[in-house]
Coordinates of all heavy atoms in Angstrom, one line a residue:
K1 N -32.1 57.5 25.1 CA -32.6 58.1 23.9 C -32.1 57.3 22.7 O -32.9 57.1 21.7 CB -32.1 59.5 23.8 CG -32.8 60.3 22.7 CD -32.5 61.8 22.8 CE -33.3 62.5 21.7 NZ -33.1 63.9 21.7
Q2 N -30.9 56.8 22.7 CA -30.4 56.0 21.6 C -31.2 54.8 21.4 O -31.5 54.4 20.2 CB -28.9 55.7 21.8 CG -28.3 54.8 20.7 CD -28.2 55.6 19.4 OE1 -28.0 56.8 19.4 NE2 -28.3 54.9 18.3
R3 N -31.6 54.1 22.4 CA -32.3 52.9 22.3 C -33.7 53.1 21.7 O -34.1 52.4 20.8 CB -32.5 52.2 23.7 CG -33.3 51.0 23.6 CD -32.9 50.1 24.7 NE -33.7 48.9 24.6 CZ -33.4 47.7 24.8 NH1 -32.2 47.5 25.3 NH2 -34.1 46.6 24.7
C4 N -34.3 54.3 22.0 CA -35.6 54.6 21.4 C -35.4 54.8 19.9 O -36.3 54.3 19.1 CB -36.2 55.8 22.0 SG -36.7 55.6 23.7
N5 N -34.3 55.4 19.4 CA -34.0 55.5 18.0 C -33.8 54.2 17.4 O -34.3 53.9 16.3 CB -32.8 56.4 17.9 CG -32.5 56.8 16.4 OD1 -33.4 56.9 15.6 ND2 -31.3 57.1 16.1
D6 N -33.1 53.3 18.1 CA -32.9 51.9 17.5 C -34.2 51.2 17.4 O -34.5 50.5 16.4 CB -32.0 51.1 18.5 CG -30.5 51.6 18.4 OD1 -30.2 52.3 17.4 OD2 -29.7 51.2 19.3
C7 N -35.1 51.3 18.4 CA -36.4 50.7 18.3 C -37.2 51.2 17.2 O -37.9 50.4 16.5 CB -37.2 50.8 19.6 SG -36.5 49.9 21.0
A8 N -37.1 52.5 16.9 CA -37.9 53.1 15.8 C -37.4 52.5 14.5 O -38.2 52.2 13.6 CB -37.7 54.6 15.8
K9 N -36.1 52.3 14.3 CA -35.5 51.7 13.1 C -35.9 50.3 13.0 O -36.2 49.8 11.9 CB -34.0 51.9 13.1 CG -33.5 53.3 13.0 CD -32.0 53.4 13.0 CE -31.6 54.9 12.9 NZ -30.1 55.0 13.0
I10 N -35.9 49.6 14.1 CA -36.4 48.2 14.0 C -37.8 48.1 13.6 O -38.2 47.3 12.8 CB -36.1 47.5 15.4 CG1 -34.6 47.4 15.6 CG2 -36.8 46.1 15.4 CD1 -34.2 47.0 17.0
R11 N -38.7 48.9 14.2 CA -40.1 49.0 13.9 C -40.3 49.3 12.4 O -41.1 48.7 11.7 CB -40.8 50.0 14.7 CG -41.3 49.6 16.0 CD -42.3 50.6 16.6 NE -42.6 50.1 18.0 CZ -41.9 50.5 19.0 NH1 -40.9 51.3 19.0 NH2 -42.3 50.0 20.2
S12 N -39.5 50.2 11.8 CA -39.5 50.5 10.4 C -39.2 49.3 9.6 O -39.8 49.0 8.5 CB -38.6 51.7 10.1 OG -38.6 52.0 8.8
A13 N -38.1 48.5 10.0 CA -37.7 47.4 9.2 C -38.8 46.3 9.3 O -39.1 45.6 8.2 CB -36.4 46.8 9.8
I14 N -39.4 46.1 10.4 CA -40.5 45.2 10.5 C -41.7 45.6 9.7 O -42.3 44.7 9.0 CB -41.0 45.0 12.0 CG1 -39.8 44.4 12.9 CG2 -42.2 44.2 12.2 CD1 -40.0 44.6 14.4
S15 N -42.0 46.8 9.7 CA -43.2 47.3 8.8 C -42.9 47.1 7.4 O -43.8 46.7 6.6 CB -43.4 48.8 9.1 OG -43.9 49.0 10.4
A16 N -41.6 47.3 6.9 CA -41.3 47.0 5.5 C -41.5 45.6 5.1 O -42.0 45.3 4.1 CB -39.8 47.5 5.3
I17 N -41.1 44.7 6.0 CA -41.3 43.2 5.8 C -42.8 42.9 5.7 O -43.2 42.2 4.7 CB -40.6 42.4 6.9 CG1 -39.1 42.5 6.8 CG2 -41.0 40.9 6.8 CD1 -38.4 41.9 8.0
K18 N -43.6 43.4 6.6 CA -45.0 43.2 6.6 C -45.7 43.8 5.4 O -46.6 43.2 4.8 CB -45.6 43.7 7.9 CG -45.3 42.8 9.1 CD -45.9 43.3 10.3 CE -45.6 42.3 11.5 NZ -46.3 42.7 12.7
K19 N -45.2 44.9 4.9 CA -45.8 45.6 3.7 C -45.5 44.7 2.5 O -46.3 44.6 1.6 CB -45.2 47.0 3.6 CG -45.8 47.8 2.6 CD -45.3 49.2 2.6 CE -46.0 50.1 1.7 NZ -45.5 51.5 1.7
K20 N -44.3 44.2 2.4 CA -43.9 43.4 1.2 C -44.6 42.0 1.2 O -44.8 41.4 0.2 CB -42.4 43.2 1.2 CG -41.6 44.4 0.8 CD -40.1 44.1 0.8 CE -39.3 45.3 0.4 NZ -37.9 45.1 0.5
H21 N -44.9 41.5 2.4 CA -45.4 40.1 2.6 C -46.7 40.2 3.3 O -46.8 40.1 4.6 CB -44.4 39.2 3.3 CG -43.0 39.3 2.7 ND1 -42.8 38.6 1.5 CD2 -41.9 39.9 3.1 CE1 -41.5 38.8 1.2 NE2 -41.0 39.6 2.1
S22 N -47.8 40.4 2.6 CA -49.1 40.5 3.2 C -49.6 39.3 4.0 O -50.4 39.3 4.9 CB -50.2 40.9 2.2 OG -50.3 39.9 1.2
N23 N -48.9 38.1 3.7 CA -49.2 36.9 4.4 C -48.5 36.7 5.8 O -48.7 35.7 6.4 CB -48.9 35.7 3.5 CG -47.5 35.6 3.1 OD1 -46.8 36.6 3.2 ND2 -47.1 34.5 2.6
V24 N -47.7 37.7 6.2 CA -47.0 37.6 7.4 C -48.0 37.8 8.6 O -48.7 38.8 8.7 CB -45.9 38.7 7.6 CG1 -45.3 38.6 8.9 CG2 -44.9 38.5 6.5
T25 N -48.1 36.7 9.4 CA -49.0 36.8 10.6 C -48.2 36.9 11.9 O -48.7 37.1 12.9 CB -49.9 35.6 10.6 OG1 -49.2 34.4 10.6 CG2 -50.9 35.6 9.4
E26 N -46.9 36.6 11.7 CA -46.0 36.5 12.9 C -45.9 37.9 13.5 O -45.6 38.9 12.8 CB -44.6 36.1 12.4 CG -43.6 35.9 13.5 CD -42.3 35.4 13.0 OE1 -42.1 35.3 11.7 OE2 -41.4 35.0 13.8
Q27 N -46.1 38.0 14.8 CA -45.9 39.2 15.5 C -44.4 39.4 15.9 O -43.9 38.5 16.5 CB -46.8 39.3 16.8 CG -48.3 39.3 16.5 CD -48.6 40.6 15.8 OE1 -48.2 41.7 16.1 NE2 -49.5 40.5 14.8
F28 N -43.8 40.5 15.5 CA -42.4 40.7 15.8 C -42.2 42.1 16.1 O -42.5 43.0 15.3 CB -41.6 40.3 14.5 CG -40.1 40.1 14.8 CD1 -39.6 39.0 15.4 CD2 -39.2 41.2 14.5 CE1 -38.2 38.8 15.7 CE2 -37.9 41.0 14.8 CZ -37.4 39.9 15.4
E29 N -41.8 42.4 17.3 CA -41.7 43.8 17.9 C -40.2 44.0 18.2 O -39.4 43.0 18.2 CB -42.5 43.9 19.1 CG -44.0 43.7 18.9 CD -44.7 44.7 18.1 OE1 -44.2 45.9 18.1 OE2 -45.6 44.4 17.3
P30 N -39.8 45.2 18.5 CA -38.4 45.5 18.8 C -37.9 44.6 20.0 O -36.8 44.1 20.0 CB -38.4 47.0 19.2 CG -39.5 47.5 18.3 CD -40.6 46.5 18.3
K31 N -38.8 44.3 21.0 CA -38.4 43.5 22.1 C -38.0 42.1 21.6 O -37.1 41.5 22.1 CB -39.5 43.4 23.2 CG -40.7 42.7 22.7 CD -41.7 42.5 23.9 CE -42.9 41.8 23.3 NZ -43.7 41.1 24.2
D32 N -38.7 41.6 20.5 CA -38.4 40.3 20.0 C -37.1 40.3 19.3 O -36.4 39.3 19.3 CB -39.5 39.9 19.0 CG -40.9 39.8 19.7 OD1 -41.0 39.1 20.7 OD2 -41.8 40.4 19.1
Y33 N -36.8 41.5 18.7 CA -35.4 41.6 18.0 C -34.3 41.4 19.1 O -33.4 40.7 18.9 CB -35.3 43.0 17.4 CG -34.0 43.3 16.8 CD1 -33.8 43.1 15.4 CD2 -33.0 43.8 17.5 CE1 -32.6 43.4 14.8 CE2 -31.7 44.1 16.9 CZ -31.6 43.9 15.6 OH -30.3 44.2 15.0
Y34 N -34.5 42.1 20.2 CA -33.5 42.0 21.3 C -33.4 40.6 21.9 O -32.4 40.1 22.3 CB -33.7 43.1 22.3 CG -33.4 44.4 21.7 CD1 -34.4 45.3 21.4 CD2 -32.1 44.8 21.4 CE1 -34.1 46.6 20.9 CE2 -31.8 46.0 20.9 CZ -32.8 46.9 20.6 OH -32.5 48.1 20.0
I35 N -34.6 39.9 22.0 CA -34.6 38.6 22.5 C -33.9 37.6 21.6 O -33.1 36.8 22.0 CB -36.1 38.1 22.7 CG1 -36.7 38.8 23.9 CG2 -36.2 36.6 22.9 CD1 -38.2 38.7 24.0
L36 N -34.2 37.8 20.2 CA -33.5 37.0 19.2 C -32.0 37.2 19.2 O -31.2 36.3 19.1 CB -34.1 37.2 17.9 CG -33.7 36.4 16.7 CD1 -33.8 34.9 17.0 CD2 -34.5 36.7 15.4
L37 N -31.6 38.5 19.4 CA -30.2 38.9 19.4 C -29.5 38.2 20.6 O -28.4 37.6 20.5 CB -30.1 40.4 19.5 CG -28.7 41.0 19.4 CD1 -28.0 40.6 18.1 CD2 -28.7 42.5 19.6
Q38 N -30.2 38.2 21.7 CA -29.7 37.5 22.9 C -29.5 36.0 22.7 O -28.5 35.3 23.0 CB -30.5 37.8 24.1 CG -30.0 37.2 25.4 CD -30.9 37.5 26.6 OE1 -32.1 37.7 26.5 NE2 -30.3 37.4 27.8
Q39 N -30.6 35.4 22.1 CA -30.5 33.9 21.8 C -29.4 33.6 20.8 O -28.9 32.5 20.8 CB -31.9 33.5 21.1 CG -33.0 33.5 22.1 CD -34.3 33.3 21.5 OE1 -34.5 33.4 20.2 NE2 -35.4 33.0 22.3
Q40 N -29.0 34.5 20.0 CA -27.9 34.3 19.0 C -26.6 34.7 19.6 O -25.6 34.9 18.9 CB -28.1 35.2 17.7 CG -29.3 34.7 16.9 CD -29.5 35.5 15.6 OE1 -30.6 35.5 15.1 NE2 -28.5 36.3 15.2
N41 N -26.5 35.0 20.9 CA -25.3 35.4 21.6 C -24.8 36.7 21.1 O -23.5 36.8 21.0 CB -24.3 34.3 21.6 CG -24.7 33.1 22.4 OD1 -25.3 33.2 23.5 ND2 -24.6 31.9 21.9
Y42 N -25.6 37.6 20.6 CA -25.3 38.9 20.1 C -24.3 38.8 18.9 O -23.4 39.5 18.7 CB -24.6 39.7 21.2 CG -25.6 39.9 22.4 CD1 -25.5 39.1 23.5 CD2 -26.5 40.9 22.4 CE1 -26.4 39.2 24.5 CE2 -27.4 41.1 23.4 CZ -27.4 40.2 24.5 OH -28.3 40.3 25.5
Q43 N -24.6 37.7 18.1 CA -23.8 37.5 16.9 C -24.7 37.3 15.7 O -25.8 36.9 15.8 CB -23.0 36.2 17.1 CG -22.0 36.2 18.3 CD -21.3 34.9 18.5 OE1 -21.9 33.8 18.2 NE2 -20.2 34.9 19.2
C44 N -24.1 37.4 14.5 CA -24.7 37.2 13.2 C -25.1 35.7 13.2 O -24.2 34.8 13.6 CB -23.8 37.5 12.1 SG -24.4 37.0 10.5
A45 N -26.3 35.3 12.8 CA -26.7 33.9 12.8 C -25.9 33.1 11.8 O -25.9 31.8 11.9 CB -28.2 33.9 12.4
I46 N -25.2 33.7 10.8 CA -24.5 32.9 9.9 C -23.0 32.9 10.2 O -22.4 31.8 10.4 CB -24.7 33.4 8.4 CG1 -26.2 33.1 8.0 CG2 -23.8 32.7 7.4 CD1 -26.5 33.7 6.7
C47 N -22.4 34.0 10.2 CA -20.9 34.1 10.4 C -20.4 34.2 11.8 O -19.2 34.0 12.1 CB -20.3 35.2 9.5 SG -20.6 36.9 10.1
G48 N -21.3 34.6 12.7 CA -20.9 34.7 14.1 C -20.2 36.0 14.5 O -19.8 36.1 15.7
I49 N -20.1 36.9 13.6 CA -19.5 38.2 13.9 C -20.3 38.9 15.0 O -21.5 38.8 15.0 CB -19.2 39.1 12.7 CG1 -18.2 40.2 12.9 CG2 -20.5 39.6 12.1 CD1 -17.7 40.9 11.7
E50 N -19.7 39.6 15.9 CA -20.4 40.3 17.0 C -20.8 41.7 16.6 O -21.8 42.2 17.1 CB -19.6 40.3 18.2 CG -19.4 38.9 18.8 CD -18.7 38.9 20.1 OE1 -18.2 40.0 20.6 OE2 -18.5 37.8 20.7
N51 N -20.1 42.4 15.7 CA -20.4 43.7 15.3 C -20.3 43.8 13.8 O -19.2 43.5 13.2 CB -19.5 44.7 16.0 CG -19.7 44.8 17.4 OD1 -20.8 45.0 17.9 ND2 -18.6 44.6 18.2
C52 N -21.3 44.3 13.2 CA -21.3 44.4 11.7 C -20.2 45.5 11.4 O -20.1 46.5 12.0 CB -22.7 44.9 11.2 SG -22.8 45.0 9.5
K53 N -19.4 45.1 10.4 CA -18.3 46.0 10.0 C -18.7 47.4 9.5 O -18.0 48.3 9.5 CB -17.4 45.3 8.9 CG -16.7 44.1 9.5 CD -15.9 43.4 8.4 CE -15.3 42.1 9.0 NZ -14.6 41.3 7.9
T54 N -20.0 47.4 9.1 CA -20.5 48.7 8.6 C -21.0 49.6 9.7 O -21.3 50.8 9.5 CB -21.7 48.5 7.6 OG1 -22.8 47.9 8.4 CG2 -21.4 47.6 6.5
G55 N -21.1 49.1 10.9 CA -21.6 49.8 12.0 C -23.1 49.8 12.2 O -23.7 50.4 13.1
R56 N -23.7 49.1 11.2 CA -25.2 49.0 11.3 C -25.6 47.9 12.3 O -24.8 47.1 12.7 CB -25.7 48.5 9.9 CG -25.4 49.5 8.8 CD -25.9 48.9 7.5 NE -25.5 49.8 6.4 CZ -26.0 49.7 5.2 NH1 -27.0 48.9 4.9 NH2 -25.6 50.5 4.2
R57 N -26.9 48.0 12.7 CA -27.4 46.9 13.5 C -27.6 45.7 12.6 O -27.6 45.8 11.4 CB -28.7 47.3 14.1 CG -29.8 47.6 13.1 CD -31.2 47.9 13.8 NE -32.1 48.3 12.7 CZ -32.5 47.6 11.7 NH1 -32.2 46.3 11.6 NH2 -33.4 48.1 10.8
F58 N -27.8 44.5 13.2 CA -28.1 43.3 12.4 C -29.4 43.4 11.7 O -30.4 43.9 12.3 CB -28.1 42.1 13.3 CG -26.7 41.7 13.8 CD1 -26.5 41.6 15.2 CD2 -25.6 41.5 13.0 CE1 -25.2 41.2 15.7 CE2 -24.4 41.1 13.4 CZ -24.2 41.0 14.8
A59 N -29.5 42.9 10.5 CA -30.7 42.9 9.7 C -31.6 41.8 10.1 O -31.1 40.8 10.6 CB -30.3 42.8 8.2
I60 N -32.9 42.0 9.9 CA -33.9 41.0 10.2 C -34.0 40.1 9.0 O -34.6 40.5 8.0 CB -35.2 41.6 10.6 CG1 -35.1 42.6 11.8 CG2 -36.3 40.5 10.9 CD1 -36.3 43.5 12.1
D61 N -33.5 38.9 9.0 CA -33.5 38.0 7.9 C -34.9 37.3 7.9 O -35.4 36.9 9.0 CB -32.4 37.0 8.0 CG -32.5 35.9 6.9 OD1 -32.7 36.3 5.7 OD2 -32.5 34.7 7.2
H62 N -35.5 37.3 6.7 CA -36.8 36.6 6.6 C -36.9 35.9 5.3 O -36.2 36.2 4.3 CB -37.9 37.7 6.7 CG -37.9 38.7 5.6 ND1 -36.9 39.7 5.6 CD2 -38.6 38.9 4.5 CE1 -37.1 40.5 4.6 NE2 -38.1 40.0 3.8
D63 N -37.8 34.9 5.3 CA -38.0 34.1 4.1 C -38.9 35.0 3.1 O -39.9 35.5 3.5 CB -38.8 32.9 4.4 CG -39.1 32.0 3.3 OD1 -39.6 32.5 2.2 OD2 -38.8 30.8 3.3
H64 N -38.4 35.3 1.9 CA -39.1 36.2 1.0 C -40.4 35.6 0.5 O -41.2 36.4 0.1 CB -38.1 36.6 -0.1 CG -37.1 37.5 0.3 ND1 -36.7 38.6 -0.4 CD2 -36.3 37.5 1.4 CE1 -35.8 39.3 0.2 NE2 -35.5 38.6 1.3
S65 N -40.6 34.3 0.5 CA -41.9 33.8 0.0 C -42.9 33.8 1.1 O -44.1 33.9 0.8 CB -41.7 32.4 -0.5 OG -41.2 31.5 0.4
T66 N -42.5 33.6 2.4 CA -43.5 33.6 3.5 C -43.4 34.8 4.4 O -44.4 35.0 5.1 CB -43.3 32.3 4.3 OG1 -42.0 32.4 5.0 CG2 -43.3 31.1 3.5
G67 N -42.3 35.5 4.4 CA -42.1 36.6 5.4 C -41.7 36.1 6.8 O -41.5 37.0 7.6
K68 N -41.6 34.8 7.0 CA -41.2 34.3 8.3 C -39.8 34.8 8.7 O -38.9 34.7 7.9 CB -41.3 32.8 8.3 CG -41.0 32.2 9.7 CD -41.3 30.7 9.7 CE -40.8 30.0 10.9 NZ -41.2 30.6 12.2
I69 N -39.7 35.2 9.9 CA -38.4 35.7 10.5 C -37.5 34.5 10.7 O -37.9 33.5 11.4 CB -38.6 36.5 11.8 CG1 -39.6 37.6 11.6 CG2 -37.2 37.0 12.3 CD1 -39.2 38.7 10.6
R70 N -36.3 34.5 10.2 CA -35.3 33.4 10.3 C -34.2 33.7 11.3 O -33.6 32.8 11.9 CB -34.7 33.0 9.0 CG -35.8 32.6 8.0 CD -35.2 32.1 6.7 NE -34.6 33.2 5.9 CZ -34.4 33.1 4.6 NH1 -34.8 32.1 3.9 NH2 -33.9 34.2 4.0
G71 N -33.8 35.0 11.5 CA -32.7 35.3 12.3 C -32.2 36.7 12.1 O -32.8 37.4 11.3
L72 N -31.1 37.1 12.7 CA -30.5 38.4 12.6 C -29.2 38.2 11.9 O -28.4 37.3 12.4 CB -30.4 39.1 13.9 CG -31.7 39.2 14.7 CD1 -31.4 39.9 16.1 CD2 -32.7 40.1 13.9
L73 N -28.9 39.0 10.9 CA -27.7 38.8 10.1 C -26.9 40.1 10.0 O -27.5 41.2 9.9 CB -28.0 38.3 8.7 CG -28.8 37.1 8.5 CD1 -29.0 36.8 7.1 CD2 -28.1 35.9 9.2
C74 N -25.6 40.0 9.9 CA -24.8 41.2 9.6 C -25.1 41.6 8.2 O -25.6 40.9 7.4 CB -23.3 40.9 9.8 SG -22.5 39.8 8.6
Y75 N -24.7 42.8 7.8 CA -25.0 43.4 6.5 C -24.4 42.5 5.4 O -25.1 42.2 4.4 CB -24.4 44.8 6.4 CG -24.6 45.4 5.0 CD1 -25.8 46.0 4.7 CD2 -23.6 45.5 4.1 CE1 -26.1 46.5 3.5 CE2 -23.8 46.0 2.9 CZ -25.0 46.6 2.6 OH -25.2 47.2 1.3
S76 N -23.2 42.0 5.6 CA -22.5 41.2 4.6 C -23.3 39.9 4.3 O -23.5 39.5 3.2 CB -21.1 40.9 5.0 OG -20.4 40.1 4.0
C77 N -23.6 39.2 5.4 CA -24.3 37.9 5.2 C -25.7 38.1 4.7 O -26.2 37.3 3.8 CB -24.4 37.2 6.6 SG -22.8 36.5 7.1
N78 N -26.4 39.2 5.1 CA -27.7 39.5 4.6 C -27.7 39.8 3.1 O -28.5 39.2 2.3 CB -28.3 40.7 5.3 CG -29.8 40.9 5.0 OD1 -30.5 40.0 5.1 ND2 -30.1 42.1 4.8
I79 N -26.7 40.5 2.6 CA -26.6 40.8 1.2 C -26.3 39.6 0.4 O -26.9 39.3 -0.7 CB -25.5 41.9 0.9 CG1 -26.0 43.2 1.5 CG2 -25.2 42.0 -0.5 CD1 -27.2 43.8 0.9
K80 N -25.4 38.8 0.9 CA -25.0 37.5 0.2 C -26.2 36.6 0.1 O -26.4 35.9 -0.9 CB -23.8 36.9 0.9 CG -22.5 37.7 0.7 CD -21.4 37.1 1.5 CE -20.2 38.0 1.4 NZ -19.1 37.6 2.4
L81 N -26.9 36.4 1.2 CA -28.0 35.5 1.3 C -29.1 36.0 0.3 O -29.8 35.2 -0.4 CB -28.6 35.3 2.7 CG -29.6 34.3 2.9 CD1 -29.2 32.9 2.5 CD2 -30.1 34.3 4.3
G82 N -29.3 37.3 0.3 CA -30.3 37.9 -0.6 C -29.9 37.6 -2.1 O -30.8 37.3 -2.9
W83 N -28.7 37.7 -2.4 CA -28.2 37.4 -3.8 C -28.5 36.0 -4.1 O -28.9 35.7 -5.2 CB -26.7 37.8 -3.9 CG -26.2 37.6 -5.3 CD1 -26.2 38.6 -6.3 CD2 -25.7 36.4 -5.9 NE1 -25.7 38.1 -7.4 CE2 -25.4 36.7 -7.3 CE3 -25.5 35.1 -5.5 CZ2 -24.9 35.8 -8.2 CZ3 -25.0 34.2 -6.4 CH2 -24.7 34.5 -7.7
I84 N -28.2 35.1 -3.2 CA -28.4 33.7 -3.4 C -29.9 33.4 -3.6 O -30.3 32.7 -4.5 CB -27.8 32.8 -2.3 CG1 -26.3 32.9 -2.3 CG2 -28.3 31.4 -2.3 CD1 -25.7 32.3 -1.0
D85 N -30.7 34.0 -2.8 CA -32.2 33.8 -2.9 C -32.7 34.3 -4.3 O -33.5 33.6 -5.0 CB -33.0 34.6 -1.8 CG -32.9 33.9 -0.5 OD1 -32.5 32.7 -0.4 OD2 -33.3 34.5 0.5
I86 N -32.2 35.4 -4.8 CA -32.6 36.0 -6.0 C -32.1 35.1 -7.2 O -32.8 34.9 -8.2 CB -32.1 37.4 -6.2 CG1 -32.9 38.3 -5.2 CG2 -32.3 37.9 -7.6 CD1 -32.3 39.7 -5.0
N87 N -30.9 34.6 -7.1 CA -30.2 33.9 -8.2 C -30.2 32.4 -8.1 O -29.5 31.8 -8.8 CB -28.8 34.5 -8.4 CG -28.8 35.9 -8.8 OD1 -29.1 36.2 -9.9 ND2 -28.4 36.8 -7.9
Q88 N -31.0 31.9 -7.2 CA -31.0 30.5 -6.9 C -31.2 29.6 -8.1 O -30.6 28.6 -8.3 CB -32.1 30.2 -5.8 CG -32.0 28.8 -5.2 CD -32.9 28.7 -4.0 OE1 -34.0 29.4 -4.0 NE2 -32.6 27.9 -3.1
E89 N -32.1 30.0 -9.0 CA -32.4 29.3 -10.2 C -31.2 29.3 -11.2 O -31.1 28.4 -12.0 CB -33.6 29.8 -10.9 CG -34.9 29.5 -10.0 CD -36.1 30.1 -10.7 OE1 -36.1 30.6 -11.8 OE2 -37.2 30.1 -10.0
K90 N -30.4 30.3 -11.1 CA -29.3 30.4 -12.0 C -28.0 29.7 -11.6 O -27.1 29.4 -12.4 CB -28.9 31.9 -12.2 CG -30.0 32.8 -12.8 CD -29.5 34.2 -12.8 CE -30.7 35.1 -13.2 NZ -30.3 36.5 -13.1
I91 N -28.0 29.3 -10.3 CA -26.8 28.6 -9.7 C -26.8 27.2 -10.1 O -27.7 26.5 -10.1 CB -26.8 28.8 -8.2 CG1 -26.6 30.3 -7.9 CG2 -25.6 28.0 -7.6 CD1 -26.7 30.6 -6.4

C-alpha cells in the first residue's frame, strides 16, 4: 500500500512538470523514477546522500526551459540548484 501512495506522489510530481512545460514530450512514469533511482545507486545525483534528511523522496530534477528530466535529487540539492537556476544572471 505504501508503494502505491509513493507512485501517486511521483505521478503528481510528473504531472506538475508537464503542466509547467507544455513542450515536454518525454514519457516519464513512476517505474522510470525507480529505474533512474537504481541507476543512481539509490543516491542523490549531486551529493550522493542515500536518504534525504527531510524524510522526503528524491525530487525529479528537470531543466526548467525544456522540461527534460536530468536526475533525482535530495531536497537540499534540489532547492540549491533551483536557486542557482533562478539567480544565474545575478551571479
